[in-house]
Amino acid sequence: MAFRKILSAAMLTVVPAASLAMTTPADASSRWMYKSSDERASAEWTEYGELNGVEGNVHVGFLEAETSSTGGYAWGKVIDYYCEEGEVPGGGGHGEYSTEEWEEEPTCDVMSYRWMEGGDISFTIDRKLNTARLTGTLYVDNHGSSATPPVDMTWTGFGELSQYTSYEKGTEGDSTYTYKYESTYRQAEVTGFIGAMGFTDDADDESWGSIEKTKTFERGTSR
């Protein structure tokens, strides 16, 4: 009887210890969350004709500007082509081409490829996405040759506001996550200039623009 009592007491002291070991660090987890918002305007354009100080006679460009803690940030690129009469980058008639065609089957000679980046600039955008404006100077690099042309671009929104939402929830290994992206945007007319290039100073100028604000939310748990 004495032996049985001692054995039972020993078992009672072991079980709680084992139970405690199973409920400690193995169940610990870390949580994280990220939020951001952004306001931006973008423009694409084609300028026909020669420009002072620039190679080629057709100039295809893209620029995006966004708000930042320092007042604004902008970046973009311009491809300068030389096209024979009746030719446009990518082939086809006037205005009958796409960005993909420029890259795959250019019928014009590429003269230069210029990168643009925000230098001393100011970018403002109205909360209802009616207007946006970029002013100041841009830094332009062409394979080591640089310039700082002035910029004054205005986006004027038109048409209805559009909205886009993307939502995702899933698991990767020991982590679970939730991701949500919201965008509100509208089309915009682009006016103004970058250096010698004006958006509306010639009848054959072509440009497209948009104004947008976005929100991003991410949340996750990892073990």
Side-chain angles (χ1 to χ4, degrees):
M1 293 291 294
F3 176 76
R4 289 180 180 176
K5 288 181 180 180
I6 293 172
L7 181 61
S8 297
M11 291 179 66
L12 287 174
T13 58
V14 170
V15 171
S19 177
L20 179 63
M22 294 174 63
T23 58
T24 49
D27 288 339
S29 62
S30 60
R31 301 174 183 271
W32 54 270
M33 185 175 69
Y34 171 79
K35 287 183 177 181
S36 69
S37 60
D38 188 25
E39 296 176 325
R40 64 169 69 95
S42 61
E44 298 179 54
W45 65 87
T46 301
E47 172 83 0
Y48 296 94
E50 296 182 357
L51 301 175
N52 290 332
V54 179
E55 296 181 275
N57 58 5
V58 179
H59 316 277
V60 179
F62 167 83
L63 180 139
E64 182 174 275
E66 61 184 39
T67 56
S68 73
S69 59
T70 59
Y73 176 74
W75 68 277
K77 61 183 179 180
V78 179
I79 306 176
D80 302 300
Y81 298 89
Y82 175 77
C83 300
E84 297 289 349
E85 186 175 353
E87 289 185 338
V88 294
H94 185 79
E96 297 176 3
Y97 51 87
S98 66
T99 302
E100 290 76 14
E101 289 173 329
W102 300 336
E103 296 174 351
E104 294 175 3
E105 298 181 3
T107 60
C108 304
D109 296 327
V110 177
M111 306 302 293
S112 60
Y113 196 105
R114 295 177 285 150
W115 288 100
M116 298 185 294
E117 195 170 15
D120 181 13
I121 61 170
S122 172
F123 178 66
T124 58
I125 188 169
D126 121 270
R127 294 173 65 94
K128 295 184 178 180
L129 306 185
N130 291 319
T131 61
R133 189 178 182 189
L134 174 68
T135 58
T137 57
L138 294 173
Y139 175 80
V140 179
D141 178 78
N142 181 14
H143 300 288
S145 176
S146 62
T148 54
V151 57
D152 189 343
M153 296 174 62
T154 298
W155 287 260
T156 303
F158 64 87
E160 297 294 327
L161 287 171
S162 299
Q163 293 186 321
Y164 170 79
T165 300
S166 176
Y167 179 82
E168 186 177 347
K169 187 175 183 179
T171 302
E172 293 182 358
D174 294 331
S175 301
T176 60
Y177 66 90
T178 300
Y179 170 84
K180 187 176 183 181
Y181 174 84
E182 297 177 301
S183 170
T184 302
Y185 59 95
R186 76 189 320 166
Q187 297 181 71
E189 178 185 11
V190 183
T191 56
F193 62 87
I194 299 176
M197 194 214 72
F199 290 98
T200 55
D201 57 347
D202 294 315
D204 59 357
D205 287 346
E206 299 176 358
S207 62
W208 307 264
S210 66
I211 309 174
E212 179 184 25
K213 61 181 177 182
T214 66
K215 292 181 181 180
T216 301
F217 172 79
E218 295 180 72
R219 180 177 61 196
T221 303
S222 58
R223 291 175 176 268

